[in-house]
């Protein structure tokens, strides 16, 4: 099994004045919260699993992705697509 899915918060660089930085951080936190909420809404991962695993790059194996509802099916035969 060689398929993985990656959930990643991304990265950000800051430059500017104090107020700009504060606003950028607030916006970035908001985006991360929305990302976490979407994972919780559309998968079977618990909030605890999401919070713990999003602390770093979160690689999910295809079998777990299938179990947790990240995907509906694993395609292992290209002919299934046509």
């Amino acid at each position: 099994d060689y398929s993985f899915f990656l959930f990643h918060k991304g990265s950000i660089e800051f430059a500017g004045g104090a107020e700009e930085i504060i606003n950028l951080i607030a916006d970035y936190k908001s985006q991360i919260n929305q990302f976490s909420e979407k994972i919780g809404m559309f998968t079977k991962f618990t909030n605890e699993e999401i919070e713990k695993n999003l602390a770093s790059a979160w690689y999910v194996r295809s079998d777990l992705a299938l179990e947790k509802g990240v995907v509906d099916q694993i395609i292992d035969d290209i002919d299934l697509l046509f």
Side-chain angles (χ1 to χ4, degrees), residues 46-75:
T46 66
N47 289 336
E48 292 78 20
E49 289 172 312
I50 295 166
E51 185 177 324
K52 175 187 169 205
N53 288 299
L54 275 183
S56 61
W58 182 13
Y59 291 90
V60 179
R61 287 188 166 288
S62 60
D63 58 339
L64 183 60
L66 186 61
E67 175 187 328
K68 293 291 190 169
V70 176
V71 297
D72 295 320
Q73 180 180 3
I74 304 297
I75 303 294

Side-chain angles (χ1 to χ4, degrees), residues 2 6 8 13 23 25 28 34 40-41 47 57 60 63 73 76 79-81:
Y2 301 104
L6 172 61
H8 192 272
E13 293 184 28
N23 290 335
I25 291 170
Y28 184 59
Q34 289 176 16
M41 287 172 52
N47 289 336
V60 179
D63 58 339
Q73 180 180 3
D76 57 3
D79 292 332
L80 293 173
L81 297 174

